[in-house]
Amino acid sequence: EFEEKSEESSDAGGDESSHGGDTGTVDDEEMEQQLRMLDDVVAQAFASSTDLYRTLLLRATAQTLLENWDTITTVTSGDIDRAAVAKTAIQPQRSTVNAKDVQKLFDCYSNESSKEWVRSWWNLIDADKDGLIDEEELTTVVDFAIKPVHLALTDMVNMSLEVCPLRTVALGSNETNDWFLGGDNITDIHTSSEALNPSSSESKAIKKLSWRNRRRELKARKALTKTFAATLERHFRDQVEVPHRLRCIYAWADKSHQGNKLDSILVDASEEWGAASSIVGSKRFVELEPKISYEEFRKEQERHFPHLDHIGEE
C-alpha cells in the first residue's frame, strides 16, 4: 500500500510540474509576441521620425540659403585685394552660384553625414573653385553647416510637443497607464487603427486636462523650449568654443598656399581713387593671409574639433 500511494503521489507531482512547465512556456511565448509587436511599433515610429527629420533638414537648408544669400555671394576683402594685385577686375558680389553645388548641398543633407555637409558648403562658398578658402570663409562654412541642424531640431521639438504632452505621467487616474499611447495593452496599440490615427474617435476620447494640469503643461513646455533654444545658441559658441577652435585650426594647419606665410603686397591705388589718391595715398601695403584647403582643414579638425563630425548628436 505504501508503494502504491508513493507512485500515485509521484504521478500527481509529475502532472503538476508538467502543467507548470506548460504555463511558463505559454507566458514566455506571449511575452515574446508582445515584444515583437512593440518592436514593430517602435521601428515604424523611428522610420517615420527619421524621414520627418530629414525633410525638416532640407527645409532648414533652403531657409539658410535664402536668409544668407548675400553672405554667400559676397566676395571677401582678401579676394578683392588679390584681384587688385593681379590687375583683374572683380565684382564685390557674385551674380550667380553653381547650380550643381546647390543640388549637392541638398543631396548631402538628405542622405549624407555631417562631414559631407561641411564639404558641400565648402564647395558652395569657394567662388574661384580652387579648393581654397580664407579664414573668414572658413568660419562661414562651419556656421552654415550647423545652422540647418538647429532649425530642424527646433521644428522637431515643437512638433513633438504638439503630438505628445510634455507631462505624460500622473495626468490620468492611473499613473502606470500612459494614456497618450492609447492604453497599456501593446496588442491594442499595434492592431487598433484608432490608436495609430490621431483623428480617430479613441484619440478624441482621451481624457482632457483640467485647467490646473493645462497650466502646468504650458509652464513646463515654455521652460523646455526656452532652455532648448538657449542650448542651441550657446552650446557650440560657449561650451564647444567654435570660434576659438577654428582660429586654432587655421593657425596650426600646414597650409601650402603662399608657403604658409603672410604676403605683404604693394597695391597702387592711384587708378582706383583718382584725384583722391593724393589724400588717401596712391600706394598702400596689403597683407594677404594664406588660404586653406579642405584636406588641410580636415587634418586639424579631426584632432581638435571632432564635434563637427556629429553635429546633430551634440
Side-chain angles (χ1 to χ4, degrees):
E1 293 179 358
F2 177 75
E3 292 178 355
E4 292 177 357
K5 290 181 180 180
S6 62
E7 291 177 357
E8 292 177 358
S9 62
S10 63
D11 293 340
D15 294 339
E16 291 177 357
S17 62
S18 62
H19 287 304
D22 294 340
T23 304
T25 303
V26 172
D27 292 340
D28 293 341
E29 291 178 354
E30 291 179 355
M31 180 61 68
E32 291 179 358
Q33 184 178 5
Q34 289 186 351
L35 290 176
R36 284 195 297 268
M37 290 181 179
L38 183 59
D39 289 340
D40 294 339
V41 173
V42 173
Q44 181 182 1
F46 180 78
S48 61
S49 299
T50 303
D51 294 339
L52 175 61
Y53 177 64
R54 288 289 184 178
T55 304
L56 293 176
L57 266 180
L58 293 176
R59 186 176 72 174
T61 304
Q63 182 179 348
T64 303
L65 283 172
L66 181 62
E67 294 177 352
N68 301 277
W69 188 256
D70 290 341
T71 304
I72 295 172
T73 56
T74 299
V75 180
T76 62
S77 58
D79 289 338
I80 294 177
D81 290 336
R82 287 185 175 88
V85 172
K87 303 297 183 180
T88 303
I90 185 174
Q91 296 295 327
Q93 196 87 16
R94 285 192 290 168
S95 58
T96 59
V97 295
N98 194 327
K100 293 183 178 180
D101 291 337
V102 177
Q103 181 64 37
K104 181 63 176 178
L105 180 67
F106 284 101
D107 291 341
C108 289
Y109 274 95
S110 177
N111 302 305
E112 302 296 339
S113 62
S114 302
K115 181 174 66 175
E116 296 301 324
W117 300 351
V118 177
R119 183 64 182 266
S120 61
W121 280 110
W122 188 291
N123 294 332
L124 184 62
I125 295 295
D126 182 19
D128 49 8
K129 299 304 176 186
D130 59 353
L132 304 174
I133 62 176
D134 55 25
E135 186 177 5
E136 179 183 351
E137 292 172 324
L138 176 61
T139 303
T140 302
V141 166
V142 175
D143 290 341
F144 286 175
I146 296 174
K147 188 173 182 179
V149 179
H150 287 178
L151 295 175
L153 288 177
T154 301
D155 293 337
M156 194 76 175
V157 169
N158 293 334
M159 295 176 68
S160 300
L161 292 177
E162 292 295 331
V163 174
C164 174
L166 181 62
R167 299 171 60 252
T168 57
V169 180
L171 292 178
S173 59
N174 185 5
E175 296 183 5
T176 61
N177 183 15
D178 290 334
W179 57 270
F180 67 94
L181 287 177
D184 56 351
N185 191 338
I186 299 176
T187 306
D188 293 341
I189 299 173
H190 181 73
T191 59
S192 176
S193 60
E194 289 83 2
L196 297 176
N197 187 3
S199 62
S200 63
S201 58
E202 183 177 345
S203 298
K204 295 178 181 179
I206 290 178
K207 184 184 297 184
K208 294 184 178 180
L209 300 180
S210 63
W211 68 269
R212 191 186 302 271
N213 282 328
R214 186 164 60 251
R215 181 179 178 183
R216 291 175 179 174
E217 170 68 20
L218 293 176
K219 185 177 180 180
R221 180 181 299 187
K222 183 178 179 180
L224 176 63
T225 53
K226 183 178 180 180
T227 303
F228 187 76
T231 300
L232 293 180
E233 180 181 359
R234 300 171 184 172
H235 174 69
F236 277 100
R237 185 191 66 190
D238 299 338
Q239 296 180 346
V240 182
E241 296 180 328
V242 170
H244 176 67
R245 290 177 185 268
L246 291 180
R247 285 194 300 268
C248 293
I249 289 174
Y250 177 81
W252 295 340
D254 187 13
K255 299 175 284 293
S256 59
H257 184 244
Q258 297 180 180
N260 198 14
K261 295 180 181 180
L262 189 71
D263 279 356
S264 182
I265 306 297
L266 180 63
V267 178
D268 188 0
S270 58
E271 298 179 0
E272 178 183 357
W273 290 94
S277 61
S278 59
I279 301 175
V280 300
S282 60
K283 298 181 180 180
R284 59 190 176 95
F285 281 97
V286 177
E287 293 182 345
L288 299 179
E289 296 183 351
K291 291 185 175 183
I292 184 174
S293 67
Y294 180 76
E295 290 72 18
E296 294 166 347
F297 165 75
R298 281 290 298 174
K299 183 179 180 181
E300 298 295 331
Q301 179 259 317
E302 289 179 346
R303 292 189 296 173
H304 305 294
F305 192 13
H307 316 73
L308 197 62
D309 291 339
H310 41 83
I311 299 174
E313 301 174 11
E314 284 289 320

